Amino acid sequence: GTAQAPRAPVWFCVAAMKTLIKNATVILPAGRADVSVVIEDDHIADIDAAIQLPVDRVVDASGLYLIPGLIDDQVHFREPGLTHKEDLAHASRACAKGGVTTFLEMPNTKPNTVSVESLASKLELASSRSLVNFGFYIGATPGNIEELKAAERTPGIKIFIGSSTGDLLVDDQDALERIFDETTLPITAHCEDEATVRANQERYAGTTDVRDHSRIRDHEAAIVCTRRALDLAFRHNHRFHVLHVSTGAETDLFADHRGLITAEACPHHLFFHVGDYDRLGSLVQMNPSIKDVEDNRQIWQALLDGRIQVIATDHAPHTLEEKQLPYPQSPSGLPAVENVLALMLDQVHQEQCSLEQVVQWMCEAPARVWDVVGKGRIAVGYDADLVLVDLQREQEVRNEQQETKCGWSPWHGERLTGWAVQTWVMGHEVYRDGQFDLSQSGQEAVFDHSRGGYWKTADH
Ligand code: DOR
């Protein structure tokens, strides 16, 4: 036989890189603490007050707060097929800058993600193009139940029970019953009642006034559909997450969650209301539509008292040209991934909530809802997805500074206090003070659905 080549001495290269983050106030599951955190390779290796290790790098984070990376469980990143609006490279840079270290993306791309095969090809695409960690939902159609049953490597099934951007829609009762009955993955849905919306569209036929968007996609449409979805979840004993709650009345339904139901709020339903159409026009045209000041208040209240558990963005970029088409040709959706943390830190600054609550809503809760392994908290052994934030930093949102490919923000011109300054993804520093390190990609998030979701993981 042939002689074997001697093994190369590779141990120099595989020695783990160690970073010590010191002097930060760290938001731990039990509350804030002045401790040091050691990142080794891709995970958190140590958390202690006085770590004395030889490390490769020391980050002096005096005056800053260290939080877990955000998990945004509802984004539309448009790749493949709609990349004139957005793509994985731009959107994931926006994430890194905004402190979002993991995104879960919706299936209404082109083609729609409605098969095991299209899911695998999106994962493959993201593994080389995304700067941050990623996961992808599989979309339901009236006829793809076998795909929904076979799907793995996904947070869950997305159903458009009411139609929105794209052509995904399942509103036939028998088809919905089958999906809730025969599948085991967690289910999430866009809830706006299709029949109500269509009837309202006829009522407002011919309108070019974007303010009618909130009259067409009205309170009733949201409430009727959310009620219908909860009924399906309860009868089939199926975990269900309500996306982008837009009305105060829906929040009343969530008190009776029966260990199955979780819900989510988006920044536009917290901070925009119908009065903003005058100023922002179709830039704040969204599905579900923005509603009234009183809805903003009640959604905020539901977050504070735990009826809504998650904050996500529904980042849904369209080009300014598209948005400036006359209503109703103007598409629904707005970008938010890069400003959502600052919007919430600004609420901390205004003493509307605590930093610990922001971490609950944007890190811990989405990890629990979707059974994300190793993420959502700062703890030894967890992934080193970390964000340093400066709660004093005051900065204006500017269209020309947005990383999102669409290049605008509905919050343009707003001064916010509290911004991410440095972001690590799996131990790799991807963003620091306006600069990106694009040398490594993020990783596929791992979902362990045997955990059973939010209500079963109170003390994971
Ligand atoms: O306004 C919206 N835009 N709502 C959605 O549910 C979809 C999104 C999009 O993809 O543009």
Side-chain angles (χ1 to χ4, degrees):
T2 36
Q4 281 208 323
R7 267 172 177 272
V10 290
W11 54 86
F12 302 108
C13 339
V14 296
M17 165 91 179
K18 283 200 185 105
T19 301
L20 172 66
I21 304 172
K22 64 171 198 181
N23 298 331
T25 300
V26 182
I27 305 301
L28 299 170
R32 60 185 66 193
D34 293 321
V35 288
S36 295
V37 171
V38 177
I39 303 175
E40 185 172 334
D41 256 345
D42 57 0
H43 62 278
I44 297 165
D46 202 357
I47 301 170
D48 208 332
I51 296 168
Q52 299 287 345
L53 281 176
V55 293
D56 304 282
R57 198 172 155 218
V58 176
V59 175
D60 183 352
S62 303
L64 304 176
Y65 289 76
L66 187 69
I67 64 171
L70 274 52
I71 300 170
D72 188 342
D73 81 2
Q74 192 188 180
V75 303
H76 303 269
F77 283 175
R78 311 298 192 204
E79 188 168 352
L82 299 160
T83 51
H84 69 285
K85 297 175 194 276
E86 183 67 289
D87 58 32
L88 288 166
H90 284 86
S92 67
R93 280 206 301 275
C95 284
K97 179 180 165 195
V100 174
T101 54
T102 302
F103 65 81
L104 307 181
E105 206 239 12
M106 288 297 162
N108 59 333
T109 43
K110 239 179 173 169
N112 291 320
T113 317
V114 291
S115 66
V116 171
E117 195 190 334
S118 56
L119 180 62
S121 86
K122 248 193 193 179
L123 286 165
E124 176 67 25
L125 201 62
S127 68
S128 62
R129 298 197 199 183
S130 177
L131 186 58
V132 300
N133 306 313
F134 48 85
F136 298 98
Y137 296 89
I138 184 160
T141 72
N144 75 340
I145 191 129
E146 295 310 321
E147 301 289 333
L148 302 181
K149 289 202 281 199
E152 291 170 354
R153 299 165 70 190
T154 180
I157 296 166
K158 163 73 181 280
I159 315 177
F160 284 88
I161 304 181
S163 57
S164 185
T165 304
D167 59 5
L168 284 172
L169 173 67
V170 183
D171 80 332
D172 173 68
Q173 190 65 22
D174 290 340
L176 288 169
E177 298 281 352
R178 269 195 79 187
I179 295 169
F180 275 82
D181 186 38
E182 294 179 29
T183 66
T184 55
L185 287 168
I187 298 177
T188 188
H190 183 111
C191 296
E192 282 182 297
D193 184 58
E194 194 67 12
T196 306
V197 171
R198 288 202 183 143
N200 288 336
Q201 272 167 341
E202 270 169 43
R203 237 178 108 197
Y204 292 96
T207 181
T208 55
D209 182 352
V210 70
R211 288 174 298 185
D212 287 335
H213 191 66
S214 291
R215 301 184 181 112
I216 292 168
R217 292 178 176 266
D218 62 2
H219 288 76
E220 186 71 7
I223 298 156
V224 165
C225 193
T226 294
R227 221 185 250 126
R228 181 183 182 197
L230 297 192
D231 172 63
L232 280 157
F234 290 144
R235 281 191 292 102
H236 294 284
N237 194 32
H238 205 122
R239 281 164 61 185
F240 182 70
H241 181 68
V242 184
L243 298 167
H244 44 41
V245 174
S246 66
T247 68
E250 286 167 285
T251 66
D252 290 336
L253 304 172
F254 306 141
D256 177 27
H257 59 75
R258 303 184 207 175
L260 295 171
I261 308 300
T262 51
E264 156 190 313
C266 296
H268 47 274
H269 294 127
L270 287 168
F271 304 127
F272 290 132
H273 53 83
V274 291
D276 290 311
Y277 284 124
D278 292 341
R279 191 168 54 92
L280 295 163
S282 60
L283 295 187
V284 288
Q285 178 193 330
M286 279 294 302
N287 304 334
S289 67
I290 55 171
K291 306 287 192 311
D292 302 320
V293 178
E294 181 56 17
D295 296 292
N296 299 152
R297 194 192 64 74
Q298 289 178 27
I299 294 168
W300 185 255
Q301 185 54 45
L303 272 168
L304 292 173
D305 68 28
R307 279 172 295 152
I308 295 178
Q309 296 77 25
V310 173
I311 294 179
T313 62
D314 197 3
H315 179 88
H318 300 282
T319 67
L320 263 185
E321 287 83 354
E322 292 166 334
K323 284 298 256 182
Q324 280 158 359
L325 289 168
Y327 186 80
Q329 284 108 278
S330 47
S332 296
L334 55 82
V337 98
E338 90 194 72
N339 300 306
V340 68
L341 177 58
L343 286 161
M344 294 312 299
L345 295 180
D346 191 66
Q347 294 296 308
V348 173
H349 177 71
Q350 294 179 42
E351 298 180 7
Q352 299 300 307
C353 61
S354 68
L355 182 57
E356 284 84 346
Q357 284 172 310
V358 170
V359 167
Q360 275 294 319
W361 298 328
M362 308 183 85
C363 312
E364 174 101 25
R368 282 170 54 188
V369 169
W370 300 108
D371 307 312
V372 186
V373 176
K375 300 195 188 298
R377 49 166 63 187
I378 297 179
V380 171
Y382 272 62
D383 294 341
D385 295 336
L386 297 165
V387 184
L388 271 177
V389 301
D390 182 347
L391 292 181
Q392 308 304 324
R393 181 164 174 166
E394 191 186 334
Q395 196 175 296
E396 191 177 320
V397 178
R398 304 288 312 168
N399 283 345
E400 60 276 17
Q401 284 164 10
Q402 302 301 299
E403 292 297 324
T404 171
K405 194 170 181 184
C406 73
W408 60 275
S409 166
W411 289 283
H412 172 75
E414 287 200 27
R415 291 196 80 78
L416 302 174
T417 302
W419 287 87
V421 293
Q422 197 164 347
T423 305
W424 288 264
V425 171
M426 301 301 279
H428 178 66
E429 186 192 288
V430 292
Y431 175 79
R432 183 181 188 183
D433 254 329
Q435 302 297 317
F436 296 93
D437 179 343
L438 305 175
S439 65
Q440 278 184 44
S441 303
Q443 293 182 22
E444 180 178 341
V446 177
F447 308 98
D448 174 7
H449 294 306
S450 72
R451 291 183 176 187
Y454 184 85
W455 298 108
K456 294 227 167 82
T457 51
D459 52 5
H460 77 290

